[in-house]
Amino acid sequence: MSEADASGGATLPDDRPGTYVLLFALGEDRRASAGALGPIDLEAGFYTYVGSALGPGGVRARIGRHVRGSGRPHWHVDSLRAVAAVSEVWFRHDPGRRECGWTAALREIPGFAEEVPGFGASDCGCRSHLLRFARRPGPNELSLRLGEGGEEGTGPLRVAAVRRVELAAQPPASSGGASSPSTRTRK
C-alpha cells in the first residue's frame, strides 16, 4: 500500500485515531448480505464507505483489517468486502468522530448517484455511510469540501492507494456471488 496526501506528499497511517474513506469499484451489479440489513443489491459504479477508527490500533489497524478482509464479519462494510476489493483509502488522523460530516461532504461531489439506506450508520442519525458514484470521486474533491486543513487539529487528507481499479467485470467472490438486482432504493 502506498500513501500520499491529497497534494502528493508521502505519509503512512499510524495507530492514532482518525476518519477514513474506503473506495471500491464494482464493474458489474452484485448482491451482498449485510447482516441485519439483509441482502443489498449494488449497482455497478464507484462506492465510498466512510468510517472512524477511534479504538486500539487507530487508522492503521482499521484500514489494514478492511484491506485484508480478515477477521469475523463485524461491520456492514465487511459484507461489501466480500464482493469487492478496496482500491484506495483516504484518511485523516483526528480523535473526533467525523464520519457523518465526511459523508455529507461526499454527497456534494458531482457524480453522487445514491446511497444504501442504513449501511454503516446504525450508531448515528445518518441515512447511510455508503454512497455510490457514477464516476470515480477523488480525494481532492473531498479535501476541498472539508477545508484545506480540515477541522481544527486534523491536518491534511491522506491517500493510501491500495491498487488502481477501473470499472471492469470482477470475478464472483466466494462469500457473495453476483446476482441481478431485485429492488433498488434511490435517493
Side-chain angles (χ1 to χ4, degrees), residues 147-165:
E148 287 298 317
E151 299 85 358
E152 185 177 331
T154 62
L157 182 68
R158 306 293 182 177
V159 178
V162 179
R163 74 179 98 167
R164 181 67 176 197
V165 177

Side-chain angles (χ1 to χ4, degrees), residues 93-109:
H93 291 292
D94 174 22
R97 185 173 291 278
R98 306 212 186 274
E99 64 264 37
C100 298
W102 282 33
T103 302
L106 282 164
R107 282 189 187 96
E108 296 173 8
I109 294 176

Side-chain angles (χ1 to χ4, degrees), residues 63-112:
I63 67 173
R65 182 191 192 282
H66 291 323
V67 169
R68 288 187 309 274
S70 60
R72 291 184 63 177
H74 179 74
W75 295 282
H76 289 147
V77 72
D78 294 330
S79 63
L80 183 56
R81 271 291 290 123
V83 299
V86 176
S87 61
E88 195 166 84
V89 179
W90 313 334
F91 67 95
R92 276 193 179 144
H93 291 292
D94 174 22
R97 185 173 291 278
R98 306 212 186 274
E99 64 264 37
C100 298
W102 282 33
T103 302
L106 282 164
R107 282 189 187 96
E108 296 173 8
I109 294 176
F112 165 64

Side-chain angles (χ1 to χ4, degrees), residues 123-145:
D123 61 348
C124 68
C126 294
R127 294 182 307 261
S128 179
H129 285 185
L130 180 65
L131 308 177
R132 186 179 71 79
F133 289 81
R135 65 162 185 82
R136 184 187 183 283
N140 288 333
E141 294 174 295
L142 175 59
S143 188
L144 287 172
R145 283 159 180 80

